[in-house]
Amino acid sequence: MHQALPSNALLAALSPEDREALTGAATLFTFQVGHVFVEAGEPVTHAYLIRRGIVSAVAAMADGRTVEVFMVGREGITHPAASAAPVRTYSRHAAQADGEAWKIEVGRLRQLCRERPAIQSTILSYASTLQSELEQSAACNALHRAEQRFAKWLLRCHDRIDGDTLNLTQEYLAAMLGSQRTTVNEAAQALQKTGAITYSRGKITIIDRAMLERTACECYNGRTAEPPL
C-alpha cells in the first residue's frame, strides 16, 4: 500500500507557532461525499485545509458536460488565492470522498497572512504548484488517451485516501474525466484486464499500483502537489 501523507502537508510545512495560529483560527469540519463547499460563480467565504478526504473542483459547460479541473486532498488547501484577495470560483467544489478539514473564514486567513508572512508564503508556494498542475492537465486532456488519463486520475485519488478502494459510479467517473460513460467503461475494463484494478458495481479497488503507474501518462509524477518543506 502507498505511504500516507501527513495529516495536512501544508500545515506540516509551517513552524509550530504558525501552525497553531492557523488551526486556532479554524474549526474542524466534517464532510461527506457530495457535500458542496461552493458553487461556481459564488464568492469564496471559507478555505479548507483538508485532513482527510478529497475535494474536486468541477467545471460545467452550458450543455451540461462537466470535467474535474483539479482535486485537493491532505496535501493542501481549497482556494489558495483567497489568502491574498477576495475571489469568486469558476468551478463547483464538492466532496469526492468523505473527510474532514480545518475550515477558516477567508478574511481571517488574509489577516493571518499579513501578520505571519510564512503562512502566506507557504500557501502561495502550494498555489504555484497547483497552477503548474493545471497547465499540464490542459495538455493531458487534449493529447492523452482515456485509459492513460483514467489511470493517472485513479493514482491521484489513491495518493489522497487511506486504503485501496474507491466508490465511484460510471456516471461520476465520466463527469470527472469529461468523457462518455462508454469511454470510461472501456478504460476501466482495459485496466481490469491488466490486473491493475477490479471494477464492479461502482467500486474500484486498486490491486497492482505499479501496473497502474506504467499505464498512466507522463503527467503523473508520483506525488501530489505538496508545498515545499
Side-chain angles (χ1 to χ4, degrees):
M1 188 181 296
H2 63 293
Q3 295 294 316
L5 287 172
S7 177
N8 179 277
L10 191 150
L11 286 175
L14 298 174
S15 69
E17 295 78 15
D18 286 339
R19 187 183 312 127
E20 183 178 353
L22 187 50
T23 57
T27 57
L28 195 58
F29 178 79
T30 301
F31 55 87
Q32 295 181 319
V33 172
H35 174 79
V36 176
F37 295 85
V38 63
E39 290 284 2
E42 291 183 348
V44 174
T45 60
H46 293 83
Y48 298 81
L49 291 132
I50 310 302
R51 295 186 67 201
R52 178 173 57 84
I54 303 173
V55 177
S56 289
V58 181
M61 300 294 103
D63 61 5
R65 290 181 298 169
T66 62
V67 64
E68 182 187 76
V69 183
F70 61 89
M71 67 174 72
V72 180
R74 51 194 169 190
E75 79 286 353
I77 185 172
T78 64
H79 315 295
S83 66
V87 297
R88 288 181 180 271
T89 178
Y90 171 76
S91 55
R92 182 179 196 249
H93 285 60
Q96 185 190 124
D98 295 348
E100 58 184 0
W102 290 108
K103 176 182 178 181
I104 182 168
E105 195 271 325
V106 292
R108 181 69 178 113
L109 177 60
R110 287 194 288 272
Q111 180 183 355
L112 278 173
C113 287
R114 289 191 297 269
E115 295 170 351
R116 296 175 175 271
I119 294 178
Q120 180 75 93
S121 177
T122 301
I123 292 175
L124 292 181
S125 291
Y126 169 71
S128 177
T129 305
L130 189 61
Q131 177 62 35
S132 297
E133 183 180 302
L134 287 169
E135 292 170 4
Q136 186 179 48
S137 292
C140 179
N141 291 337
L143 301 175
H144 291 148
R145 293 182 291 106
E147 184 181 342
Q148 294 176 304
R149 293 192 294 115
F150 186 29
K152 180 196 72 171
W153 188 83
L154 288 176
L155 286 166
R156 296 181 71 241
C157 289
H158 194 223
D159 288 337
R160 291 166 168 84
I161 63 168
D162 297 316
D164 302 307
T165 299
L166 298 159
N167 295 306
L168 303 164
T169 64
Q170 279 188 17
E171 182 178 11
Y172 182 84
L173 290 168
M176 292 299 100
L177 296 170
S179 302
Q180 298 293 325
R181 290 179 61 180
T182 53
T183 302
V184 171
N185 184 58
E186 290 170 1
Q189 293 300 325
L191 290 175
Q192 186 162 249
K193 286 180 181 179
T194 67
I197 66 170
T198 59
Y199 181 44
S200 177
R201 297 182 180 182
K203 180 180 292 186
I204 296 175
T205 301
I206 295 173
I207 303 299
D208 188 340
R209 183 179 168 93
M211 176 61 74
L212 205 58
E213 290 178 351
R214 288 195 292 272
T215 305
C217 58
E218 64 198 74
C219 299
Y220 179 73
N221 59 10
R223 63 176 178 83
T224 52
E226 298 180 50
L229 296 177

